[in-house]
Structures are given as structure tokens and as C-alpha cells.
């Protein structure tokens, strides 16, 4: 309960007094005009008791959020208010809902609170504890005055808030179960990966399947609770599962819907077959899935070091969509899903060339032709290939350097390249705990970090025991590698 004496400012009276003061300004040495003090309203007469449990699981109608009494209000004025709810004590991020009074209680729209909570905090239906407070106002038509000062709040308390129930319940985990349509490999089911705080804010689950089950190549999806029940009973009868239904393919990606099935009975021909390795992603918000071949590596070869086919540069991925690697080129090259002339491809159109401080970048779209991809400047390039859109880029590498805590991340220790540009060396001295990285062209567009035998672009800082080392960077594979020989 907040009790405080406040100045009562009737807006109409305030304007009238202000106008009268302006009309009586005179050029004379008379005493300054002073207005009489406004009446004092004693807010101690407001008794405010919050209702700190708000259930918006069914966001219809209004929720009672307080009871109150207010005596001695000036004639024609009523009490109004605004409820503020936040997950943080400083209310740096909050929702605000206007309150409606029936003369003794305040009410707030459940739909308004539920929608604001979903938009500003999370779509999760989990019950949460929130900080709450209320701004009270005295109102008379268009006139509105805040009770107390800018720091006066009523009903400051911890509130328990139940968000709106989701239109569709999403399991915290999903499993891919394979079989032949009647028998299912529950023990060999694969749990899908999920990123994010909860399954409602990110309803996508994905998994790369390396091999098909010995029971069969048909597949379905099961939520965690359903999977545990089916695994325990050894049967799908009466247990909910999600059945993929194919409907179109685009750029090598199969798209479909997933439909509920509670019978455990299927028409085998309607179930999709899995070709491993593949990556499957499901979206439980809109009940869709995608499936695409999960190629571990793509390759590139060109007319640079070792000549065509002499070195197939492996291009690796972490998401089975974007592949990266280093390529030493003279003027042209091609991609392939194999380290051989088997399925190789190029592009109809020449890439777009851009230049910045003598460093060249190329960008284009491939996989539509077997023509070689042309580049206008020889050198080492960091190549990227997206196998969904078939867009590719080439970022020229003019230099490599070492940068880190040893030089306060300012400047680079220059590295010396080999003739083929795949090996770079330098001497490095570090103290215990000092992190460092490899950096190309003196900026951060291309930088390598991680482990000795696994360096990725934008990887983690590297840490070595204190000492002086000869560092050798090997770019002939990707992820790249390095050695550190202590002197």
C-alpha cells in the first residue's frame, strides 16, 4: 500500500489561473503575483490491495487485479490506473495494461496482457513470476492527473502470471523413429537437435541421419512423451505420432507436411523413405518438414596449384548448407560433390567482381551449367558455397597474420607464405593464458580459430602454454590445421 499526500491539479483550473496571470502583467514595481496554493488531496484515503495472481491461459474477459477504496475525491473525478508487469526489477522491459474500475475493484483485459506478453517476452505458456506495479490517476473526462509523484506506485509486489495456452502443444523434444511401416526401431530412434530457450519461441528441430535402421527406411516423428510410451509398450497403437507427407521438391530440398496419427496403422506407400545421410528439419508451429541430402563435403579444383584435378580442395560444413574451403587459382575452377570428375558443375554466368584496397571478391550463382567459373585475378581465395541457393563467393587472401592478447589485439605478426600459398609460417611468443588467432588481410572478414587440427572461420581463440613457437598454418584442407613447434 502506498500512502502519500499529493498536490491536486485540476487541469481546467490550472489553465484558467495561467491565463489570468498573463492578463495581469504590468510594467510596474508592484509585488510579484502569487497564486494561492492548490488544495491538498490526502492520498492516504486510498486503500489499494493488489490481486497478484493473474491467469491468462484462457484470454477472454477481464481479470481482477486489485480492490480499492478512495474517499474525498473532488466532485466529478474517478480513479483510473495502468498496470505494469516486468520480468526485471528495474522495469527496463515491461507490458502496460489500462485498468477499468467498477468503483471498488480494478480489472485488466486478459487478451491484452496475453498478447503483449507473447510479443514482448516469450510464446512459452510456462507460469512465471513477474514484478508488478500500478500508476493511479484521477480522471474527469479528458482531465487526468497522476496521484503522487513520478515515483509513486501502488500495488508493488511479485505477481504470478499464467500466459495464454498455446494453440498447439509442442513437446520439448522430438525423435525420428524408423521402421518398415508395421515394425518400428524404438531402441534406435534418433533424438533431434533443438536450439533456443524453449520450443515455442523456436519451434524448429533438426537432425542429420547418418544411416537407415536395419528394420526399415520409413520414418515418422514422435514427441518425447509419446516416444517414451511407445518404447515402453513396443507399439504405436493408440499413441500419437507425426507422419511426414511429401508435397514438393525445390533446389534439392524436399518439403512436406507432418500429420497426426493416433491409430498406429499406416499405408506403407504413403510413408516417405529415407536416403541417408540426410538432414531432416521439422517446424512444429506450422507442422511442416524439409529433408535434404547431407553431403559431408563438397570439393573444388581449378587451374592453380597442381592444376586441374591435381588437388581437390575439400569444403566442409557445420550445417549441411554452407560449405567453405581455400582454393589457389589462376583463372578458373569448378565445384563437385566428389573429389573426382563425377558430378562436377560450374555456372552459366560469370561472377560479379568487386575490389577493396587491392583485394578482390567474386560472387555468383552456380550449378546451372558445366562451364568453368572464371576469375580475373590469380591468388588464394576463401571459397563459400550454399547448396540450397547455389550462391558462391570467393574472398581473395593477400596475407595472413597472428593477432591476440600478446599484442593487445592490435596489428598482426606477418606470416610468410609457401610458393603454393597453402602453407604460412611465423614466429610467435605468448604468455600463459593468452588467446590469439590467425587473421587474413589485416581485418576480420576471414579469421581462423579453434583447435590445432580443426581451425574454422570465426572459431574460438587459440591458447598455447607460455613460450616462443614456430607456427605453421596449413590451408590445404578445411577445417584448416596448424602446428606449433616450441623453440
Amino acid at each position: 500500500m502506498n500512502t502519500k499526500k499529493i498536490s491536486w491539479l485540476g487541469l481546467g483550473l490550472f489553465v484558467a489561473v495561467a491565463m489570468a496571470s498573463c492578463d495581469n502583467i504590468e510594467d510596474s514595481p508592484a509585488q510579484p503575483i502569487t497564486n494561492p496554493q492548490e488544495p491538498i488531496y490526502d492520498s492516504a484515503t486510498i486503500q489499494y490491495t493488489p490481486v497478484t495472481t493473474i491467469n491468462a491461459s484462457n484470454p477472454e474477459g477481464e481479470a481482477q487485479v486489485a480492490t480499492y477504496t478512495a474517499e474525498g475525491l473532488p466532485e466529478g473525478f474517478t480513479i483510473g490506473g495502468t498496470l505494469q508487469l516486468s520480468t526485471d526489477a528495474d522495469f527496463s522491459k515491461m507490458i502496460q495494461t489500462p485498468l477499468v474500475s467498477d468503483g471498488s475493484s480494478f480489472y485488466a483485459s486478459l487478451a491484452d496482457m496475453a498478447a503483449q506478453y507473447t510479443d514482448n517476452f516469450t510464446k512459452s505458456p510456462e507460469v512465471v513470476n513477474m514484478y508488478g506495479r500500478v500508476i493511479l490517476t484521477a480522471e474527469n473526462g479528458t482531465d487526468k492527473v497522476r496521484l503522487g509523484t513520478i515515483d509513486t506506485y501502488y500495488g508493488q509486489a511479485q505477481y504470478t502470471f499464467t500466459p495464454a495456452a498455446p494453440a498447439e502443444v509442442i513437446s520439448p523434444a522430438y525423435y525420428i523413429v524408423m521402421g518398415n511401416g508395421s515394425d518400428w526401431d524404438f531402441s534406435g530412434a534418433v533424438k533431434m537437435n533443438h536450439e533456443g530457450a524453449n520450443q515455442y519461441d523456436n519451434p524448429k528441430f533438426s537432425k542429420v541421419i547418418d544411416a537407415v535402421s536395419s528394420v526399415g527406411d520409413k520414418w515418422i516423428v514422435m514427441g518425447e512423451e509419446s516416444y517414451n510410451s511407445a518404447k515402453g509398450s513396443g507399439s504405436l497403437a493408440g499413441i500419437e505420432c507425426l507422419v511426414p507427407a511429401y508435397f514438393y521438391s525445390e533446389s534439392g530440398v524436399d518439403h512436406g507436411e507432418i500429420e497426426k496419427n493416433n491409430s498406429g496403422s499406416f499405408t506403407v506407400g504413403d510413408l516417405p523413405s529415407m536416403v541417408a545421410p540426410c538432414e531432416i528439419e521439422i517446424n512444429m508451429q506450422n507442422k511442416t518438414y524439409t529433408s535434404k541430402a547431407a553431403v559431408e563435403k563438397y570439393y573444388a579444383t581449378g587451374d592453380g596449384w597442381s592444376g586441374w584435378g591435381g588437388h581437390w580442395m575439400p569444403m566442409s560444413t557445420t550445417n549441411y548448407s554452407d560449405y567453405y574451403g581455400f582454393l589457389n587459382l589462376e583463372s578458373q575452377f569448378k565445384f563437385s560433390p566428389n573429389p573426382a570428375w563425377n558430378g562436377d558443375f560450374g555456372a552459366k554466368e560469370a561472377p560479379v567482381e568487386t575490389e577493396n584496397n587491392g583485394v578482390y571478391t567474386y560472387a555468383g550463382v552456380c550449378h546451372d551449367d558445366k562451364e568453368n567459373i572464371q576469375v580475373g585475378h590469380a591468388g588464394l581465395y576463401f571459397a563459400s558455397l550454399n547448396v540450397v541457393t547455389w550462391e558462391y563467393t570467393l574472398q581473395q587472401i593477400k596475407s595472413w597474420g597472428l593477432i591476440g592478447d600478446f599484442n593487445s589485439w592490435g596489428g598482426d605478426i606477418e606470416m610468410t607464405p609457401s610458393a603454393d600459398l597453402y602453407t604460412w609460417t611465423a614466429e610467435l611468443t605468448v604468455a600463459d593464458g593468452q588467446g590469439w588467432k590467425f587473421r587474413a588481410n589485416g581485418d576480420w572478414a576471414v579469421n581462423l580459430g579453434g583447435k590445432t587440427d580443426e581451425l574454422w572461420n570465426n572459431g574460438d581463440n587459440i591458447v598455447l602454454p607460455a613460450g616462443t613457437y614456430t607456427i605453421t598454418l596449413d590451408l590445404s584442407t578445411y577445417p584448416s590445421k596448424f602446428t606449433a613447434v616450441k623453440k
Side-chain angles (χ1 to χ4, degrees):
M1 179 189 305
N2 295 60
T3 59
K4 192 175 288 188
K5 288 191 175 183
I6 63 169
S7 295
W8 185 262
L9 295 178
L11 298 186
L13 177 60
F14 175 81
V15 172
V17 170
M19 292 178 65
S21 299
C22 291
D23 290 343
N24 285 283
I25 294 177
E26 298 180 359
D27 295 327
S28 72
Q31 291 296 316
I33 298 173
T34 59
N35 295 321
Q37 183 175 341
E38 298 294 336
I40 299 299
Y41 175 72
D42 188 356
S43 63
T45 61
I46 297 180
Q47 303 296 316
Y48 185 97
T49 304
V51 176
T52 57
T53 299
I54 302 174
N55 187 344
S57 58
N58 180 17
E60 295 183 2
E62 297 174 326
Q64 184 185 31
V65 297
T67 60
Y68 76 94
T69 61
E71 299 176 358
L73 285 174
E75 184 177 354
F77 279 83
T78 59
I79 296 291
T82 301
L83 172 65
Q84 298 178 341
L85 294 173
S86 175
T87 54
D88 301 310
D90 63 0
F91 286 81
S92 56
K93 184 178 182 180
M94 63 182 173
I95 60 177
Q96 300 190 85
T97 303
L99 301 180
V100 177
S101 170
D102 65 1
S104 61
S105 295
F106 281 121
Y107 298 86
S109 166
L110 287 170
D112 182 41
M113 285 189 288
Q116 285 195 60
Y117 181 81
T118 297
D119 292 342
N120 290 279
F121 293 110
T122 175
K123 296 180 177 66
S124 172
E126 294 293 322
V127 177
V128 294
N129 290 323
M130 303 186 75
Y131 297 92
R133 63 190 186 186
V134 171
I135 296 172
L136 289 184
T137 54
E139 304 173 6
N140 182 358
T142 58
D143 292 348
K144 182 183 292 187
V145 181
R146 178 169 179 165
L147 300 185
T149 69
I150 195 171
D151 297 319
T152 300
Y153 295 97
Y154 296 81
Q156 297 186 84
Q158 284 278 319
Y159 287 69
T160 300
F161 183 76
T162 303
E168 187 72 34
V169 175
I170 301 178
S171 173
Y174 285 89
Y175 292 79
I176 293 176
V177 182
M178 288 175 275
N180 58 20
S182 56
D183 297 319
W184 297 95
D185 184 9
F186 295 113
S187 61
V190 179
K191 186 177 181 180
M192 304 186 79
N193 298 325
H194 179 262
E195 297 181 357
N198 66 76
Q199 67 273 28
Y200 291 93
D201 291 329
N202 177 19
K204 295 180 180 180
F205 297 77
S206 63
K207 187 65 178 179
V208 172
I209 307 299
D210 296 317
V212 174
S213 168
S214 59
V215 177
D217 64 357
K218 305 298 184 182
W219 62 279
I220 58 174
V221 177
M222 302 191 74
E224 186 171 44
E225 184 176 350
S226 295
Y227 166 70
N228 289 333
S229 297
K231 184 179 180 181
S233 65
S235 170
L236 286 176
I239 299 175
E240 180 180 287
C241 66
L242 299 166
V243 182
Y246 166 83
F247 62 93
Y248 76 94
S249 182
E250 183 177 62
S251 300
V253 180
D254 290 340
H255 298 258
E257 298 177 343
I258 46 180
E259 304 168 347
K260 288 184 180 179
N261 181 298
N262 293 304
S263 68
S265 178
F266 313 95
T267 300
V268 176
D270 292 339
L271 295 172
S273 295
M274 182 179 296
V275 179
C278 70
E279 182 184 24
I280 295 174
E281 180 180 278
I282 63 172
N283 184 323
M284 289 306 301
Q285 188 69 51
N286 56 24
K287 294 295 190 300
T288 60
Y289 81 91
T290 60
S291 176
K292 64 182 179 182
V295 179
E296 183 178 359
K297 292 181 184 294
Y298 272 79
Y299 297 84
T301 190
D303 61 358
W305 174 65
S306 294
W308 287 98
H311 177 61
W312 289 90
M313 179 65 204
M315 301 181 68
S316 298
T317 183
T318 57
N319 60 10
Y320 294 92
S321 294
D322 298 291
Y323 293 77
Y324 302 94
F326 292 95
L327 188 59
N328 185 345
L329 295 174
E330 287 291 337
S331 63
Q332 52 191 330
F333 75 104
K334 297 176 80 172
F335 293 110
S336 176
N338 309 288
W341 299 110
N342 178 12
D344 58 281
F345 56 90
K348 289 181 182 179
E349 302 291 337
V352 175
E353 177 186 286
T354 57
E355 181 268 338
N356 183 24
N357 294 326
V359 176
Y360 290 88
T361 301
Y362 295 89
V365 178
C366 60
H367 203 258
D368 56 1
D369 200 90
K370 284 206 169 188
E371 287 294 322
N372 298 338
I373 301 172
Q374 306 290 326
V375 296
H377 299 270
L380 180 69
Y381 289 85
F382 184 60
S384 70
L385 171 67
N386 183 289
V387 298
V388 177
T389 64
W390 297 109
E391 295 174 307
Y392 68 91
T393 62
L394 301 171
Q395 171 71 49
Q396 190 178 30
I397 304 297
K398 287 291 190 73
S399 66
W400 280 100
L402 307 179
I403 185 171
D405 291 326
F406 60 84
N407 63 357
S408 300
W409 299 92
D412 298 77
I413 295 177
E414 184 178 351
M415 303 189 76
T416 302
S418 60
D420 61 21
L421 303 180
Y422 278 116
T423 304
W424 298 68
T425 59
E427 186 174 286
L428 172 67
T429 300
V430 292
D432 280 331
Q434 289 188 327
W436 58 278
K437 300 183 81 171
F438 297 94
R439 186 169 74 156
N441 300 331
D443 63 39
W444 293 103
V446 180
N447 67 89
L448 297 175
K451 298 182 290 187
T452 303
D453 58 352
E454 193 173 343
L455 295 173
W456 294 90
N457 190 34
N458 296 316
D460 294 335
N461 292 345
I462 304 163
V463 178
L464 294 172
T468 299
Y469 297 85
T470 298
I471 303 295
T472 303
L473 174 63
D474 177 9
L475 303 174
S476 63
T477 62
Y478 191 81
S480 304
K481 303 175 181 179
F482 81 94
T483 58
V485 179
K486 197 168 187 178
K487 301 185 74 172

